[in-house]
Amino acid sequence: MTRRLTLTLLAALLPAAGAQTAQDIIGKVDATQKAARDVTFRLSGTASLDTSAQKVDLTIKAIPAQSLARVQFAAPDALADNVVVADKNEIRQYMYLTNQITVTSAQKAASQAGLGLDFTQLSNTADLLSNYNVKLVGTTGAAGKRLYQLEATAKSGGTDRTRVWITEAGWRPTRIQLVGSNGRTLADLTVSNYKVNSGLTASAIRMLPKDAQIIKQ
């Protein structure tokens, strides 16, 4: 997974509420997610991976209180059927084609290219956004059906921008875009199948093929 895709994953974790400032929204996001026992959603669309635009389709499942998350890929083809499972201590990445599981410490994985996001924080928006400047750039729709648009940029000075559309009806994200410094859209993804408190268990999230070869990095 590229840094761009992991930044898109970051943006997907913004089920916000109707507030007047970005900080108000982030506060509502944090409270909403902490109240959820588990969260599941799908990201699908297109993204520029390496040199070409490719189809992206993945499902994210998380248990916020346990800092536990699972990302399962259906597309692009190179990542189809691959799975990433993360907790506070380690990242386990299952590679379908080789039937191998690479195990990396969370600290090491966060510093490596391609895993620039701490996967354990997929359901902790406040922590995820601590390294980003976030602003509310637009509000449309009538009360009860408002749509809020947030934009995030890295405090480190990165030029990419992530835009997130959030519906007031259910306080969930509906669309995510990553825009490059030249104004080109690098990713355009739809958020669907958003569910909370569906009964996910830690064992189900952690499940990987028992016959896979384990490679510790």
Side-chain angles (χ1 to χ4, degrees), residues 92-142:
R92 288 180 168 256
Q93 184 168 9
Y94 171 68
M95 292 167 285
Y96 173 76
L97 290 178
T98 60
N99 196 35
Q100 294 175 324
I101 298 172
T102 60
V103 182
T104 310
S105 71
Q107 182 178 8
K108 181 178 180 180
S111 65
Q112 291 178 339
L115 286 175
L117 174 65
D118 181 356
F119 282 97
T120 68
Q121 299 301 327
L122 280 175
S123 294
N124 191 327
T125 303
D127 283 356
L128 277 175
L129 294 179
S130 62
N131 294 320
Y132 292 82
N133 293 314
V134 185
K135 60 183 179 180
L136 177 63
V137 296
T139 303
T140 59

Side-chain angles (χ1 to χ4, degrees), residues 29-180:
V29 169
D30 201 38
T32 300
Q33 291 185 332
K34 286 179 178 177
R37 293 187 298 274
D38 58 71
V39 179
T40 301
F41 59 92
R42 178 186 178 191
L43 284 176
S44 57
T46 59
S48 295
L49 305 177
D50 298 324
T51 59
S52 62
Q54 298 183 43
K55 179 181 178 181
V56 173
D57 192 348
L58 55 94
T59 298
I60 298 172
K61 300 180 178 181
I63 299 178
Q66 298 183 34
S67 296
L68 179 63
R70 178 187 183 94
V71 181
Q72 186 154 350
F73 292 87
D77 290 342
L79 295 176
D81 297 315
N82 285 13
V83 179
V84 175
V85 176
D87 60 24
K88 293 179 181 179
N89 301 314
E90 65 184 20
I91 310 295
R92 288 180 168 256
Q93 184 168 9
Y94 171 68
M95 292 167 285
Y96 173 76
L97 290 178
T98 60
N99 196 35
Q100 294 175 324
I101 298 172
T102 60
V103 182
T104 310
S105 71
Q107 182 178 8
K108 181 178 180 180
S111 65
Q112 291 178 339
L115 286 175
L117 174 65
D118 181 356
F119 282 97
T120 68
Q121 299 301 327
L122 280 175
S123 294
N124 191 327
T125 303
D127 283 356
L128 277 175
L129 294 179
S130 62
N131 294 320
Y132 292 82
N133 293 314
V134 185
K135 60 183 179 180
L136 177 63
V137 296
T139 303
T140 59
K145 297 182 180 180
R146 292 190 182 96
L147 194 65
Y148 300 93
Q149 183 181 346
L150 298 182
E151 186 171 276
T153 55
K155 292 180 180 178
S156 61
T159 56
D160 289 352
R161 294 168 289 149
T162 299
R163 297 170 179 167
V164 189
W165 284 260
I166 302 148
T167 177
E168 189 178 46
W171 309 124
R172 65 176 184 83
T174 62
R175 184 184 180 190
I176 300 124
Q177 280 188 342
L178 182 66
V179 181

